[in-house]
Each structure stands twice: as C-alpha cells, then as structure tokens.
C-alpha cells in the first residue's frame, strides 16, 4: 500500500480540516495565559474572554456616541466598496480578456500595455489616486480595480487563446461571425474561468481595500483596525482580522458554488 493511493473518509477529512484551527486556538490560549501570568496588564495577547467581550462590545452593543453597531457599520462600508470594485473589475476583465484573446490585432495593441500595467505596484499609486480623485470612495474603488483587473484580463486572455482551434474553425465553417463565435463558443467556456479568477483575486482585493481604508476613511474594517491600533487594542484587532478572513472564505465558497451551479460541466474534470 502506498500513501499516495489512500484517501481520508468524510469524518477523517473533517477532523484533519479542524485540527490546525484547534491547535492554533490552543497555542494562542497557552501563549496568552503565559504572558498574562507574568503581566496581568499585557495587551499583546489578550485572553479569549477579552476577545469575546470586544466582539460583544463592537457587534452587539450600540456605540454610546453614535448609537450605531460599529462592527456592522464597518462591514457594510467595506463590503460596499469591495463589491463595487470587484463588479467593475469583472466587467472590464471579461470585455478586454475576450477581445485580447480572440483578436490578434487587439492582442498586439493591448497585451504589452496590460502586461506592463499589471507589473505596477498598485499601492504605489494610492497617493496619486487620492490627489486626482480625492479622498472619497472613488479612489478606494479605483485602487482595487487597478490592483486586480489587469491580472484577471491576462488570465482570461490566456484561457481564450488556449481554447481548441478546432472549435473556432468549425464555427467559422458553419458560417458564424466573430460576434456569434464570441457569444456562442468563447463566452460559455470563459465564464467559469472568470469566476475562478475572481476567487483568486479576493485576497489581493481585500489587501488593497484595507490599505486604502487605513489611509483615508471614516468607516470600514481597515479603518477600525488602524484606528484602535493606537491604543494597542488587540482584543478588537484580532476579532476584526478573523471576521475579514471569514468574509473572504464565505465569498470564495459562494463563488465556487455559483460556478458549479451555473456551469456544472466545469467541475467534471475535478471529480
């Protein structure tokens, strides 16, 4: 028997999946207990009870000054910016990815430019965006679009180029125009990859969002983290980081389920 031929059952898979998280919580609890034993006022690794109190204070207790539930207000603000940016990036990537992949003249014109833009570090452009677009929502959304759209365009263009040439030739033989080939042959095979590409860009998108909110915002998850860091409020920062991670996981899972639901044939190769 070789280990490469053995697969865990559902129960074992669940245990293996949870094991690293349980070990992480145990390691954190031990480290926190050790630091608090030496210094009860230590703020670097607050006890789990302190984290729970902070979650209750931020998510389920109205703020004494504004009367708002801060964690939900921050979540709404961040998700609004993120979804707008991802929606714009997806539309741009689909349009340019297909045209660059399908038409050699467009590829010769735009592919080098898009490759160059994708190499520009987006965070270096943030001061320029704030100067040109102001400190409002436009600059934050634009930063995310600049950060994720070029990579999505390149990925989709490569997917279109890799489509079997025989399919295009058959469509041309049947009299299909470029527009019909794009809609009936290329688009259906590109959309599953678009959703996968969007999943892969969730991490960078969150990174650019947090960076933009840290510099200029009055609400948002990134804004709150960088606001409370002045007071070394790790009991707030840790739950916020965990909440951002959970939101990203939910979005990643939802996009994957959406791909399988709409394009079930795209999952056959993985079974």
């Amino acid at each position: 028997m070789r280990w490469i031929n053995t697969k865990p059952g559902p129960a074992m898979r669940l245990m293996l999946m949870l094991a690293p998280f349980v070990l992480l919580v145990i390691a954190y609890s031990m480290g926190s207990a050790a630091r608090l034993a030496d210094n009860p006022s230590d703020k670097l690794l607050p006890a789990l009870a302190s984290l729970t109190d902070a979650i209750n204070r931020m998510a389920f207790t109205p703020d004494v000054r504004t009367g708002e539930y801060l964690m939900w207000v921050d979540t709404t603000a961040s998700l609004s910016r993120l979804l707008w940016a991802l929606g714009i990036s997806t539309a741009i990537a689909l349009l340019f990815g297909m045209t660059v992949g399908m038409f050699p003249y467009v590829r010769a014109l735009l592919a080098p430019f898009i490759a160059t833009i994708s190499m520009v570090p987006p965070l270096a452009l943030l001061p320029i965006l704030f100067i040109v677009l102001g400190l409002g929502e436009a600059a934050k959304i634009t930063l995310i679009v600049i950060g994720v759209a070029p990579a999505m365009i390149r990925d989709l263009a490569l997917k279109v180029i890799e489509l079997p040439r025989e399919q295009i030739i058959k469509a041309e033989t049947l009299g299909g125009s470029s527009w019909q080939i794009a809609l009936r042959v290329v688009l259906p095979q590109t959309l599953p990859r678009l959703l996968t590409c969007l999943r892969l860009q969730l991490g960078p998108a969150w990174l650019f969002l947090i960076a933009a909110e840290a510099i200029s915002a009055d609400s948002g998850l990134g804004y709150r983290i960088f606001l409370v860091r002045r007071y070394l409020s790790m009991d707030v920062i840790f739950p916020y980081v965990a909440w951002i991670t959970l939101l990203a996981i939910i979005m990643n899972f939802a996009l994957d389920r959406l791909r399988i639901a709409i394009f079930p044939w795209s999952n056959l190769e993985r079974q």
Side-chain angles (χ1 to χ4, degrees), residues 198-213:
L198 190 57
R199 290 173 55 205
L200 296 176
Q201 292 302 316
L202 284 178
W206 275 104
L207 170 65
F208 300 135
L209 174 67
I210 298 301
E213 290 181 341

Side-chain angles (χ1 to χ4, degrees), residues 168-182:
I168 307 297
I169 294 174
K170 287 179 181 178
E172 291 177 347
T173 304
L174 294 172
S177 64
S178 297
W179 176 251
Q180 289 173 322
I181 293 173

Side-chain angles (χ1 to χ4, degrees), residues 208-231:
F208 300 135
L209 174 67
I210 298 301
E213 290 181 341
I215 295 176
S216 174
D218 55 8
S219 64
L221 298 169
Y223 160 77
R224 193 68 58 189
I225 288 175
F226 279 81
L227 178 67
V228 301
R229 75 179 174 85
R230 303 172 186 171
Y231 313 106

Side-chain angles (χ1 to χ4, degrees), residues 135-206:
L135 301 177
E137 301 299 304
K140 304 178 187 63
I141 293 173
T142 303
L143 174 69
I144 300 173
V145 173
I146 292 175
V148 304
M152 295 177 68
I153 293 172
R154 297 183 71 188
D155 189 79
L156 286 183
L158 289 175
K159 172 65 179 176
V160 174
I161 293 173
E162 291 173 354
L163 290 178
R165 184 63 186 166
E166 292 80 6
Q167 295 181 3
I168 307 297
I169 294 174
K170 287 179 181 178
E172 291 177 347
T173 304
L174 294 172
S177 64
S178 297
W179 176 251
Q180 289 173 322
I181 293 173
L183 289 182
R184 306 292 292 274
V185 179
V186 177
L187 182 61
Q189 299 183 76
T190 305
L191 289 177
R193 182 62 194 179
L194 178 64
L195 292 176
T196 301
C197 190
L198 190 57
R199 290 173 55 205
L200 296 176
Q201 292 302 316
L202 284 178
W206 275 104

Side-chain angles (χ1 to χ4, degrees), residues 244-255:
I244 291 172
T245 306
L246 180 60
L247 289 174
I249 292 173
I250 292 173
M251 294 174 70
N252 179 69
F253 180 79
L255 286 172

